Amino acid sequence: RTQSFKTVEASLRVDALASAGFKISRSKLVNLISNGDVRVNWTTVTKNGTTLKTGDIVSVSGKGRLKVSECSIGEINSTKKGKFSVELIRYL
């Protein structure tokens, strides 16, 4: 089962997108990253500034997994104000 939703974020960093996807604060996510509990494409992430791209899978131990989805155009869209419109798929 999956749940798909769109979000608008200021950056494509792993802490910004994962906090939107799992609905937890960025500061809590930074703690999880420093503890080694966050993986991107099954590789442990140590820096919260890691940039995500289309098709990346983010997994947080104890929270679940989400995928940066391909939008209708096939890439991450930019808004008029310079932010990024991203579609996330959360695996339930």
Side-chain angles (χ1 to χ4, degrees):
R1 293 179 22 214
T2 61
Q3 176 186 12
S4 176
F5 58 94
K6 285 193 173 185
T7 182
V8 177
E9 295 296 324
S11 69
L12 298 175
R13 293 167 37 141
V14 66
D15 57 345
L17 292 180
S19 67
F22 295 114
K23 297 183 175 37
I24 55 177
S25 68
R26 283 176 79 160
S27 60
K28 286 183 183 177
L29 201 69
V30 168
N31 289 337
L32 290 171
I33 290 172
S34 62
N35 291 339
D37 293 334
V38 178
R39 291 180 300 283
V40 176
N41 296 330
W42 293 274
T43 306
T44 304
V45 175
T46 56
K47 294 185 287 188
N48 56 351
T50 304
T51 304
L52 297 178
K53 58 187 180 303
T54 302
D56 282 349
I57 297 176
V58 180
S59 58
V60 178
S61 53
K63 301 290 183 189
R65 187 177 294 160
L66 65 90
K67 180 178 181 181
V68 181
S69 173
E70 294 86 2
C71 293
S72 59
I73 300 174
E75 58 188 54
I76 297 167
N77 298 322
S78 182
T79 63
K80 290 180 183 176
K81 293 188 176 183
K83 296 185 178 185
F84 299 98
S85 174
V86 182
E87 184 176 356
L88 299 175
I89 299 174
R90 183 170 179 189
Y91 296 96
L92 303 174

